[in-house]
Amino acid sequence: MTVVSVREFATLTTDVVEPTLDRATLASEDFAWLARRTAKTDAGARPLRFEGLRTLKVLNLVGVIRLPSGVDLEILPKHTEAGDSLPAARRLLFRMIAAAHDIPARENELADLQVLDRPFTEWMAKTFIEQVAQLLGRGLRSDYLRQESREPYLRGRLDLARQLRAGPSALLDFHISHDIFTIDRPENRSIRAAVDKIARFTRAPATWRIARELSALLAEVPPSLDVQSDLSRWRDDRTMAHYRTVRPLCELILTERTPFAVSGQDQALSMLFPMERLFEAFVERSIRRALPDHRIHRQPRTHSLCRYDERPWFDLRPDLVARRGEETLVIDAKWKRLHSDPSLRFGIAQSDVYQLHAYGQAYLGGHGELHLVYPRTADFPTTQGPLRMKPGLRLHIRSIDLESGALSPLEANLPKTR
């Protein structure tokens, strides 16, 4: 298995360079393939942009792209200016994806990523295969499926409407409908589709072997003719409780696509994620843990900037709104690195402060607590007090530990300038 690992905003080139997380050399055919698809992909969805005839720059999408030569291009988060290690960046991506998609993450799996030097898609395949094996040990859930047929005998219920429409030619046959108890149900078809995909594209011999064995065990389950429809019909009632651990990874494996899938080809276990969305989900999980007594609303559409002809325009959608009784907190997460230089406002973007000010007016009536959450770094500003936006409206700058998910205390804020 050949893996080329870079991080956000790295450069890819056909020139021979010393490989680091910030630059890498690709084979000419792989570079040309990426360049063609970058040109054909909508600008807002591109994970890469042109920096010259022989250079592409990685943007802020993270994940894995399988290249035509069979090389896996792994794009990892950039959470320090310098000194990122490959294992640390890979573990961080693992945690972010697990938090965003409610996937249980075990420390031994983090060790696998480091020791075996493989991208997270192989971890996903291995974890999903293990989950399916446990599920099959408990047994697949069956369900009653309605069948309609024309038979020379009476079974189940006679369909009078169809029988009468058939006329005299059907006097010797019965139009009947009956139920059969079968494993042909959307959940099982989705699981089979994901297992079959892993068996086709995994590079890990052990994962491939187990996937092939599971494919044989699932042979009686009909193939899925519409994956999206089957996933949307996945039931989550009490009788399907033992399927819940399988569902998040099953959906990821079947539905996540790179923006380069323009030809409709399902080429491999390739997938990309917007880093901002992963960080927002990571922060949300920590907020829910830190504020268990609050009701957490994710990106509410309660307010807008203006109205036209009684229709709201330009929604104001903070990442999180936490409420407990009369108390309301507005929280926004930013995947940006702050620094300790007050002359540059610690790296806080003016547009972000404008955005939070608008949230404070709409959701708090101009009085209350606003929170901006950034990743914690070695040179994160020493904390002391909130930014006072107006009397009664305060903006708190908080940090989150990317290893543990621990948030800085509520009162922790920016230092005073000298």
Side-chain angles (χ1 to χ4, degrees):
M1 179 189 305
T2 303
V3 182
V4 173
S5 297
V6 295
R7 61 181 184 173
E8 296 173 275
F9 309 110
T11 56
L12 305 173
T13 180
T14 55
D15 297 333
V16 178
V17 298
E18 181 182 354
T20 67
L21 286 180
D22 290 316
R23 60 181 182 178
T25 300
L26 296 181
S28 297
E29 61 172 313
D30 290 337
F31 185 90
W33 184 85
L34 286 173
R36 286 195 302 271
R37 279 150 181 77
T38 297
K40 294 179 181 178
T41 306
D42 292 339
R46 289 176 183 169
L48 307 167
R49 74 163 180 252
F50 289 100
E51 291 277 299
L53 292 177
R54 295 188 298 180
T55 305
L56 288 169
K57 189 177 186 67
V58 177
L59 300 181
N60 55 351
L61 291 174
V62 294
V64 175
I65 303 172
R66 174 112 5 129
L67 302 175
S69 65
V71 171
D72 284 333
L73 175 62
E74 181 181 34
I75 305 173
L76 300 169
K78 181 177 182 179
H79 61 290
T80 62
E81 186 59 40
D84 271 1
S85 69
L86 176 59
R90 193 173 277 166
R91 287 197 303 270
L92 175 59
L93 179 57
F94 174 95
R95 291 191 188 94
M96 294 283 185
I97 294 172
H101 297 275
D102 295 322
I103 301 169
R106 300 188 294 270
E107 287 302 318
N108 64 311
E109 292 165 344
L110 291 173
D112 282 349
L113 288 173
Q114 178 175 349
V115 173
L116 300 180
D117 190 26
R118 58 186 180 184
F120 75 92
T121 47
E122 290 293 346
W123 159 78
M124 289 174 55
K126 176 178 178 289
T127 302
F128 179 72
I129 288 298
E130 292 173 350
Q131 292 175 347
V132 173
Q134 294 176 1
L135 177 66
L136 291 179
R138 299 186 61 179
L140 290 176
R141 177 66 63 183
S142 300
D143 202 358
Y144 286 100
L145 182 66
R146 178 61 54 88
Q147 298 285 318
E148 295 182 349
S149 61
R150 177 178 172 179
E151 304 291 349
Y153 52 82
L154 186 61
R155 176 188 179 188
R157 182 176 67 87
L158 179 66
D159 192 330
L160 287 175
R162 290 171 57 215
Q163 189 75 32
L164 292 174
R165 285 197 302 269
S169 62
L171 290 177
L172 298 180
D173 293 323
F174 296 99
H175 289 267
I176 61 174
S177 61
H178 60 95
D179 294 330
I180 60 172
F181 199 55
T182 177
I183 58 175
D184 182 11
R185 54 182 301 162
E187 301 86 354
N188 295 336
R189 293 194 297 270
S190 299
I191 291 171
R192 175 183 170 175
V195 170
D196 289 345
K197 181 176 181 180
I198 290 172
R200 291 194 303 272
F201 297 119
T202 183
R203 301 284 187 79
T207 302
W208 177 84
R209 177 180 55 80
I210 299 174
R212 297 293 296 177
E213 293 173 356
L214 294 179
S215 291
L217 294 175
L218 292 167
E220 295 184 6
V221 178
S224 177
L225 301 178
D226 188 340
V227 169
Q228 291 289 352
S229 176
D230 284 342
L231 288 173
S232 67
R233 293 162 57 198
W234 190 303
R235 285 166 48 187
D236 193 27
D237 54 34
R238 186 175 59 182
T239 64
M240 300 294 292
H242 62 298
Y243 275 66
R244 288 173 185 162
T245 57
V246 177
R247 184 174 184 175
L249 278 177
C250 186
E251 291 182 341
L252 269 180
I253 291 168
L254 291 178
T255 63
E256 289 291 341
R257 296 291 182 268
T258 75
F260 290 163
V262 293
S263 61
Q265 296 177 354
D266 188 13
Q267 295 193 5
L269 288 176
S270 300
M271 55 188 67
L272 293 173
F273 304 87
M275 192 58 216
E276 292 89 348
R277 299 291 178 265
L278 289 182
F279 183 62
E280 289 166 9
F282 185 72
V283 170
E284 179 184 359
R285 173 170 284 194
S286 297
I287 291 292
R288 291 185 184 275
R289 186 166 58 243
L291 303 175
D293 298 332
H294 288 67
R295 288 182 292 111
I296 309 296
H297 306 274
R298 184 173 189 178
Q299 294 195 342
R301 293 179 175 226
T302 310
H303 300 282
S304 59
L305 274 175
C306 57
R307 302 182 71 86
Y308 174 76
D309 195 20
E310 299 304 318
R311 290 176 296 176
W313 278 14
F314 311 115
D315 289 339
L316 291 170
R317 300 175 61 185
D319 292 333
L320 299 168
V321 173
R323 291 191 173 95
R324 182 181 62 181
E326 298 298 319
E327 178 188 14
T328 300
L329 304 176
V330 175
I331 304 162
D332 227 41
K334 301 297 180 184
W335 180 247
K336 300 175 182 178
R337 294 190 306 275
L338 297 189
H339 52 74
S340 55
D341 187 354
S343 65
L344 299 176
R345 300 185 182 91
F346 308 105
I348 300 171
Q350 182 170 318
S351 58
D352 293 339
V353 178
Y354 282 159
Q355 186 180 35
L356 267 292
H357 185 269
Y359 294 158
Q361 299 301 319
Y363 285 86
L364 303 177
H367 293 80
E369 310 297 327
L370 301 164
H371 301 272
L372 266 176
V373 182
Y374 294 89
R376 189 175 303 167
T377 56
D379 59 344
F380 196 85
T382 305
T383 56
Q384 186 168 343
L387 296 173
R388 290 176 173 82
M389 306 184 78
K390 59 174 294 186
L393 188 63
R394 293 170 296 276
L395 175 59
H396 300 264
I397 306 300
R398 307 182 65 187
S399 66
I400 184 170
D401 189 284
L402 297 177
E403 291 285 331
S404 65
L407 288 157
S408 61
L410 187 62
E411 64 276 5
N413 291 284
L414 290 176
K416 295 179 180 179
T417 59
R418 296 178 180 177

